[in-house]
Amino acid sequence: MPITRKIKKVKNKRYMPGFGITMGLTTLYLSLLVLIPLSMVFIYSSALGWSKFWETTTDPRIIASYKLSFLASLLAALINMVFGVLIAWVLTRYSFPGKKIIDGLVDLPFALPTAVAGITLATLYAPNGWLGKWLPLKVSFTPLGIMIALIFIGLPFVVRMVQPVLASFEKETEEASIALGANRFQTFWKVIFPQLIPATLSGFSLAFARSVGEYGSVVFISGNMPYKTEIAPLMIITKLEQYDYAGATAIAVIMLVTSFLLLLIINLLQWWSRKRYVNS
């Protein structure tokens, strides 16, 4: 009996810190970097009072900036979701000259300063720019230009989320599907795509969240025309420049709550799709 208990103690011995220490450090770290700063946003905005808070956040100019920010971010994330999966597929499944260069270019928006990206895109798509002068539509200083900037900064999130899933996918499953009579489209849609849905939704949510709060790459190409091309982060900066800190945090609260609810819905869809795939 003593030997058995000793063996059990050795098996139960952990060489890494236990749950209590790691949970405490995690909570402290998140509190200092996330929870406390976010709580200060609500505290500062509460100084306005409900009537002033409502008046600030429902101003027609602010509402127009909300609509533009969330709609452009949603459309950009949807486009990235489609083409991000396509790029990840090409980089994972095929070998071709210059593959490593293209793979490195995917991460370029992570390394490039957003202000530089904004100036470059605004110059490129200007009416007299290299690309803008050949396009039938005006891009710079329009909502379309804003969406292009958001596509640029959000694409890597989808590619890098989907790529590892494709790389770890077993080709025997595809071969079995083809052997049973399925064509390539049916194999992709019925066998491969269901496994990509959770990763694709994760990439979509990351790209969307990144786009909603983007400022540097958008402010130059948008033109900042009131009621037309002003984004919500620009309105926050405008309030801060006017030393209206409470008004700036009030706008931030609306963006924070709305983004949280949208991301919660996306995460629930991701959980549902993963559960459905496992049960099937």
Side-chain angles (χ1 to χ4, degrees):
M1 288 296 292
I3 297 176
T4 306
R5 290 178 182 177
K6 191 173 182 179
I7 293 174
K8 288 183 178 180
K9 287 182 180 181
V10 171
K11 288 182 177 180
N12 293 330
K13 184 178 180 180
R14 297 180 179 179
Y15 296 94
M16 296 294 291
F19 175 77
I21 297 176
T22 53
M23 186 62 182
L25 292 174
T26 300
T27 304
L28 177 63
Y29 186 80
L30 290 177
S31 298
L32 293 175
L33 294 182
V34 180
L35 298 179
I36 294 177
L38 290 181
S39 64
M40 293 306 298
V41 172
F42 290 92
I43 292 173
Y44 273 119
S45 62
S46 64
L48 287 173
W50 175 250
S51 59
K52 186 65 177 176
F53 177 88
W54 181 259
E55 180 183 350
T56 301
T57 55
T58 57
D59 181 85
R61 188 175 174 184
I62 303 298
I63 294 295
S65 69
Y66 284 145
K67 290 180 180 179
L68 179 59
S69 292
F70 284 104
L71 182 59
S73 299
L74 180 62
L75 292 176
L78 287 173
I79 293 173
N80 279 331
M81 185 170 64
V82 175
F83 288 95
V85 172
L86 178 62
I87 294 173
W89 179 274
V90 171
L91 292 176
T92 305
R93 294 303 180 94
Y94 302 103
S95 297
F96 52 90
K99 177 180 177 180
K100 292 185 178 180
I101 296 177
I102 296 177
D103 190 56
L105 288 175
V106 171
D107 293 326
L108 186 61
F110 287 148
L112 190 67
T114 55
V116 175
I119 295 174
T120 302
L121 291 173
T123 305
L124 188 64
Y125 289 101
N128 58 346
W130 287 0
L131 292 179
K133 63 182 179 181
W134 301 107
L135 296 176
L137 298 176
K138 184 179 179 182
V139 176
S140 289
F141 319 126
T142 65
L144 179 59
I146 295 174
M147 193 168 66
I148 290 176
L150 296 180
I151 291 172
F152 174 80
I153 58 102
L155 178 63
F157 291 99
V158 181
V159 176
R160 294 313 183 206
M161 289 299 297
V162 175
Q163 202 170 359
V165 179
L166 284 173
S168 62
F169 190 80
E170 297 180 357
K171 293 185 179 181
E172 290 79 6
T173 307
E174 299 178 49
E175 295 172 356
S177 175
I178 296 175
L180 292 174
N183 55 38
R184 292 185 177 182
F185 176 78
Q186 291 174 331
T187 300
F188 175 80
W189 187 252
K190 296 291 186 179
V191 179
I192 300 175
F193 185 69
Q195 297 190 46
L196 297 181
I197 291 178
T200 304
L201 288 176
S202 296
F204 170 82
S205 61
L206 290 174
F208 174 77
R210 178 71 174 84
S211 299
V212 167
E214 178 60 21
Y215 175 76
S217 63
V218 177
V219 69
F220 294 101
I221 198 173
S222 66
N224 305 323
M225 292 181 286
Y227 300 98
K228 293 182 179 180
T229 60
E230 284 184 330
I231 57 174
L234 174 65
M235 303 309 300
I236 295 176
I237 297 297
T238 303
K239 292 287 185 181
L240 292 175
E241 291 176 348
Q242 298 171 353
Y243 300 100
D244 185 6
Y245 299 112
T249 53
I251 300 173
V253 164
I254 298 299
M255 292 189 65
L256 178 63
V257 173
T258 306
S259 299
F260 176 78
L261 292 176
L262 291 174
L263 291 175
L264 178 62
I265 294 173
I266 295 171
N267 288 332
L268 289 175
L269 289 174
Q270 180 184 357
W271 170 82
W272 175 79
S273 64
R274 184 183 291 109
K275 182 178 180 181
R276 181 183 179 186
Y277 173 76
V278 172
N279 292 336
S280 62

